[in-house]
Amino acid sequence: MIDAGFVVMVLQAVMMILIAPLFAGIIGKFRALLQGRPGAGILQPYRDLRKLFRKGKVSGNNHSWLFSAVPYLCLASMIVLAFMVPFIYTHVLSPFGDLITLVYLFTLFRFAMVLGGLEGGSVFGGMGSSREMMMSVLIEPALLLSIMSLSMLSGVTTDMSDIPVAIMSMGFGAFGPTLILAATSFMITLMAENARVPFDNPATHLELTMVHEAMILEYSGRKLGMMELSSQIRLVLFMAMLGTMFFPWGIATDLTVMSLIISIVSIFVKMLVISFAIAVIESLTAKYRLFKTPNLLIISFTLSLLAMISIYIL
């Protein structure tokens, strides 16, 4: 007999994958409204993906099989992560739902995209890949420290099934310098990891300012659709982590109908708030110059380091 917890785990992973384009559209709609524009509908990313998956590919002859394998690797890594991140229920793919594994899979995604940019054979692809690697030197330590601070605060292991339960059991005592500093650091990392302003502009058409877009510039058709979908899933995964691990109140810890309904409502409210916050940040700030972005990443690393230190001094 199939375990009910396993069924809910699969359903929440599928839900995250399906709503990934929706929240990309919601962020775009929020940003447009804040800038005084009507903007595209929130379902526009679905239409764009449908169009891309129906198109044929156009590519050069100066790349190897690795160039074609990268979109599959990126999408596969994000699908695996969808089974590891709590969304509406704390039960995830244990014992593989580990914070360290999560960081490595995000790193695998970045490594695959960098290889894809280099394998494309274009000047802009190599430029975007080198910029991505420069930023990753500071992104990964900040990401690892912020989530490890959360693990230390909860007093449990790095298993993502246990951390939300432990944080909720602390009640209002969890709201302290450690949680606030770690969450702020994670928010900055979220913006950097997902190529959002001020680190990058996913809507830019200026090749000299591209980072993320430069690495996928040579992709087209179905493979470009896979790269776009995997990036959208990555954004939703970061938003889900912020909503269910740093602020887990409302997530279901048992399989009653009422707790699942409350969990679904609470996580969607949290993600709408996070989406609005992203739109506000992107509307109030401009894209930083390339050599200014490390300053923000150093701030993120410092905040996560202070979060870790505050556990032992407070």
Side-chain angles (χ1 to χ4, degrees):
M1 185 174 181
I2 300 177
D3 180 38
F6 177 79
V7 173
V8 174
M9 180 195 71
V10 173
L11 289 177
Q12 72 176 1
V14 173
M15 187 184 300
M16 277 193 281
I17 295 169
L18 292 179
I19 67 172
L22 175 64
F23 276 95
I26 289 173
I27 293 173
K29 189 67 172 180
F30 277 145
R31 187 172 62 246
L33 293 175
L34 289 169
Q35 295 171 356
R37 302 181 288 107
I42 61 174
L43 300 180
Q44 186 60 43
Y46 290 103
R47 302 187 188 101
D48 294 339
L49 288 175
R50 181 181 63 182
K51 180 175 65 176
L52 288 173
F53 278 104
R54 288 179 174 180
K55 283 187 173 182
K57 68 173 184 176
V58 178
S59 59
N61 299 319
N62 55 346
H63 56 75
S64 68
W65 60 270
L66 190 59
F67 179 79
S68 299
V70 163
Y72 295 96
L73 182 59
C74 289
L75 186 57
S77 62
M78 292 300 102
I79 291 174
V80 171
L81 276 176
F83 285 90
M84 295 173 54
V85 175
F87 188 57
I88 61 173
Y89 181 47
T90 53
H91 180 71
V92 292
L93 194 64
S94 295
F96 304 105
D98 187 271
L99 288 174
I100 307 300
T101 308
L102 177 138
V103 173
Y104 275 109
L105 283 173
F106 278 128
T107 304
L108 175 64
F109 177 89
R110 178 185 294 108
F111 179 70
M113 287 200 68
V114 168
L115 283 182
L118 293 172
E119 279 292 318
S122 70
V123 175
F124 293 118
M127 180 180 65
S129 297
S130 64
R131 291 175 174 178
E132 179 71 16
M133 292 307 296
M134 180 196 74
M135 290 193 293
S136 70
V137 172
L138 293 172
I139 292 174
E140 290 175 12
L143 174 62
L144 185 60
L145 269 179
S146 62
I147 59 179
M148 288 306 295
S149 299
L150 196 65
S151 175
M152 297 295 292
L153 176 66
S154 63
V156 297
T157 63
T158 55
D159 192 332
M160 286 186 286
S161 296
D162 299 329
I163 290 176
V165 178
I167 295 292
M168 285 190 293
S169 66
M170 298 171 64
F172 290 106
F175 284 101
T178 301
L179 184 64
I180 294 172
L181 290 169
T184 305
S185 172
F186 188 84
M187 186 66 186
I188 298 174
T189 306
L190 183 153
M191 303 295 288
E193 276 275 4
N194 293 279
R196 313 300 303 193
V197 176
F199 297 95
D200 192 13
N201 185 0
T204 186
H205 297 288
L206 301 175
E207 289 88 347
L208 291 176
T209 65
M210 289 180 177
V211 181
H212 173 269
E213 295 299 313
M215 292 186 289
I216 63 174
L217 201 60
E218 296 300 313
Y219 286 100
S220 61
R222 185 176 66 253
K223 289 185 172 58
L224 178 58
M226 294 173 67
M227 297 295 281
E228 293 288 356
L229 179 59
S230 59
S231 296
Q232 292 165 358
I233 296 172
R234 179 172 64 164
L235 175 59
V236 165
L237 288 172
F238 269 90
M239 293 167 64
M241 289 174 62
L242 185 59
T244 61
M245 296 185 63
F246 288 86
F247 306 101
W249 291 272
I251 189 171
T253 56
D254 52 51
L255 291 177
T256 61
V257 175
M258 184 56 65
S259 64
L260 289 175
I261 292 174
I262 293 173
S263 179
I264 292 173
V265 172
S266 66
I267 188 58
F268 271 87
V269 170
K270 291 175 188 176
M271 293 187 71
L272 284 174
V273 172
I274 296 170
S275 300
F276 184 73
I278 293 173
V280 169
I281 294 171
E282 292 191 320
S283 298
L284 295 179
T285 59
K287 182 184 179 301
Y288 276 31
R289 294 177 59 187
L290 178 64
F291 295 106
K292 292 286 187 179
T293 54
N295 296 339
L296 280 176
L297 295 174
I298 290 173
I299 292 173
S300 176
F301 176 77
T302 304
L303 290 173
S304 61
L305 183 61
L306 290 173
M308 182 68 77
I309 294 173
S310 65
I311 298 174
Y312 299 99
I313 64 176
L314 296 177

